[in-house]
Amino acid sequence: MSDAPLIQLDDVTKVFVTGAIRYEVLKDISIEVRRGEYIALIGASGSGKSTLLNILGCLDVPTSGHYRLEGEEISAKSDTEMAHIRNRFFGFVFQSFNLLGRYTVAENVALPMVYHGLGRRERLDKAKALLTRVGLGEFTGHYPSELSGGMQQRVAIARALANNPAVLFADEPTGNLDSKTGTEIISLFEQLNAEGTTLVVVTHDARVAQHARRVLTLADGRMLTDKQNSIAELTGA
Amino acid sequence: MNPFEHLRIAFDALLANKIRAFLTMLGVIIGVASVIMLVAIGEGAQTYIRKELMGIGTNLLIIVPGKTETTGMGRMPSGIQKITIADLRALEKRATLLNGLSAVVVSNAPVKYQNRLRNVQIIGTDQNFEQVRNLHAEIGSFISKADVDAQRRVAVIGRTVRKELFGEANPLGRTVKIGETKFRVIGIMESKGVTLGMDIDDHVFIPVETAQEIFDQDGLTNILTQAINENTIERAKDQIKAIMMQRHAGEEDFTIISQQAMLSTMQTILTTFTYVLGGIASISLLVGGIGIMNIMLVSVRERTREIGLRKAIGASQRDILLQFVIESVTLSVIGGIIGILFGAGVAYGAKAAFPVLPVDVSAWSVALAFTFAFFVGAFFGIYPAMKAARLNPIEALRYE
Ligand SMILES: Nc1ncnc2c1ncn2[C@@H]1O[C@H](COP(=O)(O)OP(=O)(O)O)[C@@H](O)[C@H]1O
Ligand SMILES: [Mg+2]
């Protein structure tokens, strides 16, 4: 089982039906995600990147095809089991940071641990360590509104890392940030990947695509290219 | 997930919006407080009436002419005979289960002292009245057997009569006029106030045979007696019935009312009354519940993104459902607790202001109001919570 890919999609399609109209948003997607990878998912707006990411992250289910997590088919799983998978295996970072304003930064980071069943003390200790890891160790007691956009996104990344996820998914994480803070987030991803975190990042940002080890290009719901950036390219960059 | 965590989430959410939380609770607070208050008043009225009925003498039996308690559409009495002093004598001689018998003639007459006049209910009775009816002369003396036998023109007056006719003057030994007849005042009754809507203090007592004479009556309004103890009430009634029917040519042309029966009738009426009050108050609690539902629906809408996020980071439908149900139950339960304190406060305040009314906050009404508040929160919270739980996380996260 250990050499099975972390995630394997076979012939996955996704169809949205709005009224009488069928939108075939994903068509015959077959990919695998292995441990330690850093994948950039690029493509034109509306090409289906977010939809694919949501399916990969078990926020949504395919219309047809197979999804295997560590070799196990997940299509028959209950809502509670899917929630459990999202909680233990995956972390999400969104374009808008989605922090809860009534909680402190540390409490926001600790949120996934609430659903993991950790006690408050343990959660806040871990949250503090995570915040230190993303460079915000001093801001645990602050409220999200007191932080800049870049800092808020780092809080969101710390939150995504809360339960030591197998994969961190990010949907245009630098989309709401200026280019300097965007660069900071990109180097944070680099650092996390170097530390062993598997990353799948949807992006328009060419810099992310450069840094990723593997670049998937979607066009009109189809996988156009699946390209490994060479080690030479990476180290040379 | 630990249910305590859900409670913490609920509290955080409510504390983030304190005024709204309080206003939402207000409906439940008012509902619960009115249940507590109205039930306290209802029960207070019950205690009051019970006490009053106990006060008219334990195990009291009243024999009145006429068959008032017909069972079914029974035969009509052919000719109602009056109840007389001879009946009383027969009962005195033959009934073994009675403890004292007192004849009563009731009539209204103007009572005059000097230039003051008052219309008063005149009670003609005998020396046993004090014991049977548990009413005593406080100053001077009550009517004696000798007064009755000699048909003396003596009167014992109630407190109100004394105040109205004599003011501060001492009435003992004075002469009052009842109708056209002069009476000498020999006693003043103890103060009993208003009992069962009747002002006991506004009476004048005179010897029964004197009353029959001046009001030109040969019958009695009723005979008062007492069963020797509460276990013999039914047998005492049977005994009275047997003796009376024998004397009344086999006709049951009289009715025996027991204090016990009055008590249980009143009890039934007042219990119903209490339930009706409680029921009316419960409606406002229900309205409070609808308020909770309304706010919870708004809250779910406002927190759509939060719900999406929670789902994305691992909250199951069940977690979201519990989060919102617990939030609404917390609202209603805290509202319930405040309502109980408030309602009890008002009830005891009313007791302090009107000591006559023995208002008491009963444990059952507190338990009922609290349980009801709890279920109102759960019931009206479940629909908004289900809406929240069923949200699609992706759409929820995209919600503006
Ligand atoms: N819930 C939905 N219902 C209908 N159409 C949808 C839904 N979600 C996405 N789409 C459509 O699917 C296509 C791909 O969307 P998306 O995956 O968000 O693209 P991208 O992230 O690459 O911009 C778009 O045309 C979008 O309008
Ligand atoms: Mg997108």
Side-chain angles (χ1 to χ4, degrees):
Chain A
M1 225 28 146
S2 62
D3 55 336
L6 195 56
I7 299 171
Q8 182 165 9
L9 297 189
D10 288 314
D11 302 325
V12 161
T13 63
K14 182 69 186 179
V15 179
F16 290 115
V17 181
T18 326
I21 310 163
R22 277 167 52 94
Y23 296 98
E24 225 182 324
V25 176
L26 294 178
K27 298 158 191 162
D28 297 326
I29 303 284
S30 299
I31 52 165
E32 47 191 55
V33 177
R34 295 189 170 272
R35 281 184 198 280
E37 280 195 302
Y38 183 178
I39 301 175
L41 193 53
I42 60 173
S45 184
S47 57
K49 306 182 294 296
S50 296
T51 306
L52 178 56
L53 195 80
N54 291 335
I55 287 174
L56 284 169
C58 288
L59 276 174
D60 205 353
V61 287
T63 307
S64 68
H66 296 281
Y67 181 127
R68 291 193 189 85
L69 180 67
E70 293 186 314
E72 198 187 335
E73 179 67 47
I74 62 137
S75 58
K77 299 242 188 253
S78 69
D79 169 78
T80 310
E81 287 168 320
M82 292 292 266
H84 184 84
I85 289 169
R86 290 195 292 270
N87 185 242
R88 307 294 163 90
F89 284 82
F90 305 137
F92 285 92
V93 176
F94 305 96
Q95 183 171 349
S96 49
F97 324 117
N98 283 320
L99 300 176
L100 301 186
R102 63 173 183 275
Y103 292 129
T104 63
V105 161
E107 284 167 343
N108 266 284
V109 172
L111 220 47
M113 300 183 239
V114 172
Y115 297 101
H116 195 306
L118 269 64
R120 184 172 164 82
R121 177 68 52 77
E122 194 182 357
R123 295 201 297 259
L124 292 177
D125 286 348
K126 278 196 161 185
K128 188 155 192 215
L130 286 163
L131 282 164
T132 309
R133 203 169 148 198
V134 300
L136 292 174
E138 284 128 62
F139 294 90
T140 51
H142 286 66
Y143 285 87
S145 57
E146 298 164 356
L147 306 185
S148 71
M151 289 161 112
Q152 291 191 39
Q153 192 61 303
R154 287 203 231 177
V155 175
I157 291 168
R159 179 180 63 195
L161 296 171
N163 290 332
N164 281 320
V167 191
L168 191 151
F169 295 103
D171 195 344
E172 309 203 22
T174 60
N176 280 2
L177 303 174
D178 60 55
S179 107
K180 185 173 161 288
T181 40
T183 311
E184 284 169 25
I185 297 298
I186 291 162
S187 47
L188 179 56
F189 281 148
E190 279 285 281
Q191 179 201 326
L192 293 173
N193 182 242
E195 289 165 9
T197 308
T198 311
L199 290 167
V200 180
V201 184
V202 167
T203 189
H204 278 123
D205 195 324
R207 292 170 299 169
V208 179
Q210 275 166 28
H211 285 87
R213 306 277 168 83
R214 184 178 163 199
V215 179
L216 302 177
T217 312
L218 272 180
D220 202 15
R222 282 187 200 284
M223 194 61 71
L224 197 66
T225 62
D226 181 348
K227 179 170 152 269
Q228 295 285 144
N229 279 343
S230 69
I231 304 293
E233 244 178 298
L234 279 168
T235 48
Chain B
M1 214 175 121
N2 184 342
F4 184 72
E5 296 289 353
H6 289 293
L7 205 62
R8 196 203 299 275
I9 293 172
F11 265 97
D12 284 339
L14 295 176
L15 287 175
N17 232 326
K18 295 190 196 67
I19 292 180
R20 182 202 275 189
F22 176 73
L23 290 176
T24 311
M25 274 179 209
L26 211 51
V28 177
I29 293 174
I30 292 169
V32 168
S34 29
V35 169
I36 299 287
M37 281 186 298
L38 291 180
V39 169
I41 289 168
E43 294 225 301
Q46 243 178 88
T47 314
Y48 171 76
I49 300 246
R50 194 180 318 121
K51 233 176 63 191
E52 294 289 302
L53 280 172
M54 299 305 270
I56 67 173
T58 335
N59 309 327
L60 185 74
L61 295 169
I62 306 167
I63 309 161
V64 295
K67 186 79 194 137
T68 54
E69 260 180 322
T70 45
T71 38
M73 294 304 283
R75 66 217 154 98
M76 298 293 285
S78 42
I80 295 172
Q81 266 191 56
K82 287 171 181 159
I83 294 178
T84 60
I85 291 188
D87 288 327
L88 182 136
R89 298 274 173 264
L91 289 168
E92 232 166 26
K93 206 179 287 169
R94 292 166 54 194
T96 52
L97 297 168
L98 301 181
N99 181 19
L101 284 139
S102 176
V104 174
V105 171
V106 181
S107 190
N108 283 297
V111 180
K112 206 172 151 192
Y113 175 68
Q114 291 171 349
N115 59 348
R116 299 205 203 185
L117 185 83
R118 186 171 177 81
N119 267 302
V120 175
Q121 199 161 57
I122 313 292
I123 306 212
T125 188
D126 55 34
Q127 70 285 351
N128 290 331
F129 185 86
E130 271 190 294
Q131 173 243 322
V132 176
R133 188 62 180 69
N134 195 22
L135 269 176
H136 305 273
E138 193 176 57
I139 300 167
S141 58
F142 197 71
I143 294 154
S144 66
K145 186 170 182 329
D147 293 332
V148 176
D149 291 346
Q151 295 187 22
R152 284 191 191 135
R153 311 239 154 133
V154 291
V156 180
I157 63 177
R159 286 282 162 160
T160 310
V161 180
R162 180 232 166 124
K163 205 174 106 233
E164 293 297 325
L165 295 187
F166 293 92
E168 293 306 309
N170 181 6
L172 286 188
R174 306 281 168 143
T175 302
V176 293
K177 256 183 153 179
I178 299 175
E180 291 309 313
T181 317
K182 286 180 178 168
F183 282 76
R184 187 166 51 87
V185 178
I186 57 163
I188 302 167
M189 294 304 284
E190 62 184 329
S191 179
K192 277 275 172 140
V194 179
T195 311
L196 300 173
M198 200 168 76
D199 189 357
I200 292 293
D201 295 349
D202 205 4
H203 285 142
V204 169
F205 299 85
I206 59 176
V208 59
E209 299 198 17
T210 314
Q212 284 183 321
E213 189 198 329
I214 67 165
F215 298 127
D216 192 23
Q217 286 183 13
D218 44 9
L220 296 174
T221 307
N222 59 54
I223 294 173
L224 300 177
T225 183
Q226 256 181 338
I228 44 179
N229 64 50
E230 61 182 296
N231 302 320
T232 56
I233 289 170
E234 282 313 308
R235 280 194 293 150
K237 278 170 88 170
D238 289 344
Q239 210 175 43
I240 293 169
K241 194 167 134 184
I243 296 167
M244 290 286 286
M245 277 174 73
Q246 206 179 28
R247 290 189 43 82
H248 286 226
E251 287 285 352
E252 196 183 337
D253 55 1
F254 54 89
T255 304
I256 307 161
I257 305 165
S258 66
Q259 178 218 30
Q260 219 181 32
M262 277 158 69
L263 208 63
S264 74
T265 309
M266 284 312 245
Q267 205 93 309
T268 311
I269 294 170
L270 285 167
T271 305
T272 313
F273 174 70
T274 307
Y275 286 155
V276 168
L277 284 183
I280 291 168
S282 307
I283 293 171
S284 63
L285 193 48
L286 223 57
V287 174
I290 295 167
I292 289 186
M293 177 143 111
N294 195 15
I295 284 299
M296 290 310 292
L297 284 171
V298 172
S299 178
V300 166
R301 179 167 283 248
E302 277 176 359
R303 280 145 74 192
T304 301
R305 283 177 80 92
E306 173 187 334
I307 294 160
L309 174 83
R310 285 186 185 273
K311 286 194 154 189
I313 62 172
S316 62
Q317 289 192 10
R318 190 175 157 274
D319 289 327
I320 301 292
L321 184 86
L322 277 176
Q323 173 183 336
F324 282 93
V325 169
I326 287 177
E327 196 172 314
S328 69
V329 169
T330 304
L331 269 176
S332 68
V333 163
I334 293 177
I337 291 168
I338 298 174
I340 286 167
L341 295 176
F342 183 67
V346 172
Y348 285 120
K351 188 181 189 172
F354 309 102
V356 193
L357 203 63
V359 171
D360 244 319
V361 177
S362 57
W364 75 263
S365 73
V366 170
L368 185 85
F370 186 82
T371 315
F372 201 27
F374 178 92
F375 282 107
V376 158
F379 181 79
F380 288 102
I382 198 97
Y383 173 70
M386 267 165 59
K387 265 188 100 149
R390 286 188 185 150
L391 281 176
N392 176 316
I394 300 158
E395 281 164 24
L397 278 165
R398 254 202 307 245
Y399 184 86
E400 291 304 323

